[in-house]
Amino acid sequence: GWGVRPSPPPPSQTEQAYAGWVVRFVRFHRLRHKRDKGAQEVAAVLIWLAVERRVAAPTQVQAQAAPLSLYREVLGRPLRRAEIVPRARGPPRPAAFPDWTAGRTIE
């Protein structure tokens, strides 16, 4: 043969998303090496995303899963979810027209 190897399959959408979150995680901490970071640094990113950026809950879940996967699969140093603060949630959204305002709106 010609020594040609088949190319690996393209990364899945999840893998691409995780790679993007890992890049954001590293940049957020000003490119300090991953070995120097742990649960506190993951929590800091999640708090920033929830409070400052106000990202949706599914986005927060993915942003948390990516560095957890990095530590577990690549660095061989799994972080426990319990070490990381729970996702922050935004305030509840009010109903468009609560019952008590219906009469006032019409008047």
Side-chain angles (χ1 to χ4, degrees), residues 5-91:
R5 286 188 261 172
S7 60
S12 70
Q13 287 182 332
T14 301
E15 290 170 333
Q16 290 175 351
Y18 276 23
W21 281 114
V22 168
V23 167
R24 290 180 193 99
F25 173 69
V26 172
R27 286 183 180 162
F28 180 87
H29 291 291
R30 294 192 164 56
L31 305 178
R32 271 188 24 229
H33 197 279
K34 296 172 286 298
R35 285 190 303 255
D36 300 335
K37 298 188 229 24
Q40 289 180 333
E41 286 78 12
V42 174
V45 172
L46 295 175
I47 291 168
W48 176 77
L49 286 169
V51 175
E52 300 295 324
R53 301 293 302 210
R54 300 180 56 84
V55 300
T59 304
Q60 293 175 41
V61 169
Q62 193 176 62
Q64 181 182 39
L68 289 177
S69 178
L70 169 73
Y71 278 88
R72 183 182 60 248
E73 303 297 330
V74 177
L75 299 177
R77 197 179 99 193
L79 300 176
R80 294 186 337 227
R81 286 186 192 268
E83 295 176 305
I84 300 170
V85 294
R87 291 191 323 269
R89 296 171 195 242

